[in-house]
Amino acid sequence: MAEFAWHEGPVPAGMPVRQVHGWLADATGRVLVQDRVHEQRFLLAGGQCEAGDLDWSATLLRESREESQVRVVGDSIAYLGHQVVTGDSRRPGPYVQVRLFGVIEAFGPPAPDPDSGHVYRRLMTSIPRAAELLAWGRAGDQQSRAALRAARRLGLPVDQPAPEGYA
């Protein structure tokens, strides 16, 4: 069974980064979680780095457009930390999953993800509720606290967000 250890420091040299995901907030203080109905789970927007991505921010910007049809303010993106994954039977490890924070500036109409063909519902909810829905345990709770700090630094109303709903 895979294990996840959260770290807020830099990614260790030589450790492969397999995925980049983002805690993406709107102006009302809510964050986006993908409701992947076909998989019966929730996820953050993000995915694998591709050859054309200049950096992790570019990966997040591209994946957010492709999967969730949201445009993120490029200069709002901040590094939150990473989790080291060990014991993943599908991929040799250890490896890293990077977590970033960003602000959503616009929502496009829902469309299929080019990689999977699925349309992911966009649930906008509070950061603590997102952590609950993601069900990532301690590592998820630690990430959500880092996301709260980042959102507060930007002045987003995360302590009194708008009501939960689909966008």
Side-chain angles (χ1 to χ4, degrees), residues 7 12-13 35 41 53 56 72 74 78 80 105 110 126 130-131 145 148 151 155 157:
H7 304 275
D35 183 348
R41 68 179 180 153
D53 296 341
W56 299 329
V72 176
L80 297 177
E105 67 178 329
S126 70
R145 286 193 292 276
L148 280 168

Side-chain angles (χ1 to χ4, degrees), residues 9-73:
V11 172
M15 183 78 70
V17 174
R18 299 265 189 246
Q19 297 174 329
V20 176
H21 287 86
W23 290 80
L24 305 177
D26 67 7
T28 71
R30 302 174 305 172
V31 293
L32 183 149
V33 288
Q34 296 173 346
D35 183 348
R36 294 189 171 201
V37 177
H38 67 287
E39 297 175 17
Q40 298 182 327
R41 68 179 180 153
F42 293 89
L43 286 178
L44 296 175
Q48 296 182 1
C49 301
E50 293 182 359
D53 296 341
L54 299 176
D55 56 21
W56 299 329
S57 294
T59 299
L60 181 61
L61 292 170
R62 178 184 50 75
E63 288 285 353
S64 299
R65 280 190 315 273
E66 290 176 359
E67 292 183 350
S68 298
Q69 300 75 50
V70 295
R71 190 170 64 237
V72 176
V73 179

